[in-house]
Amino acid sequence: MLVLLFVLQGTQWAVSPSVATVGDTVVMERLLDLTGVGIRARVSPIEPTSTIEPLGDPVVSYEVAGVLIRHTIAVFAPGTLQVDLPGIELLRADGEFETVDGGTAVVVVAS
């Protein structure tokens, strides 16, 4: 039986730039260290709000270190924004899946 093992390398999202200004593009990334054969990740887009707008669909990249999830947004209000990210579905080759909590990214926006 294939067993899905994963470790979240930090449950935090890396945010770039560390301090944005109103109107900037912000990239949020999270690396999932996955062990197993045929594991795929599926991510839903972020819902737009009055303070953020997603700039395209999320990107899933399969890297040597694991699976990199990337969301890109534009920000439209100053302050410390708590961006709730959608869950990440992990799919196995046998059709089984589980969902990992997307968590929250903290985006600092200067005026």
Side-chain angles (χ1 to χ4, degrees):
M1 178 172 140
L2 176 66
V3 177
L4 175 66
L5 300 173
F6 66 93
V7 176
L8 302 179
Q9 292 192 332
T11 55
Q12 308 237 340
W13 288 84
V15 177
S16 179
S18 57
V19 178
T21 57
V22 172
D24 277 356
T25 297
V26 174
V27 177
M28 298 170 292
E29 295 181 327
R30 182 174 176 184
L31 183 65
L32 299 175
D33 180 11
L34 299 176
T35 302
V37 178
I39 298 171
R40 306 300 286 175
R42 184 169 53 197
V43 184
S44 298
I46 296 173
E47 292 294 323
T49 68
S50 61
T51 58
I52 65 165
E53 178 72 31
L55 300 175
D57 290 332
V59 175
V60 177
S61 301
Y62 297 90
E63 312 287 335
V64 173
V67 178
L68 183 66
I69 310 297
R70 180 181 300 118
H71 289 276
T72 305
I73 61 171
V75 292
F76 299 112
T80 300
L81 307 177
Q82 305 285 325
V83 180
D84 292 324
L85 291 131
I88 302 163
E89 289 184 349
L90 302 177
L91 307 161
R92 297 190 331 212
D94 65 3
E96 294 293 318
F97 75 93
E98 65 181 286
T99 302
V100 176
D101 181 40
T104 302
V106 177
V107 179
V108 178
V109 184
S111 54

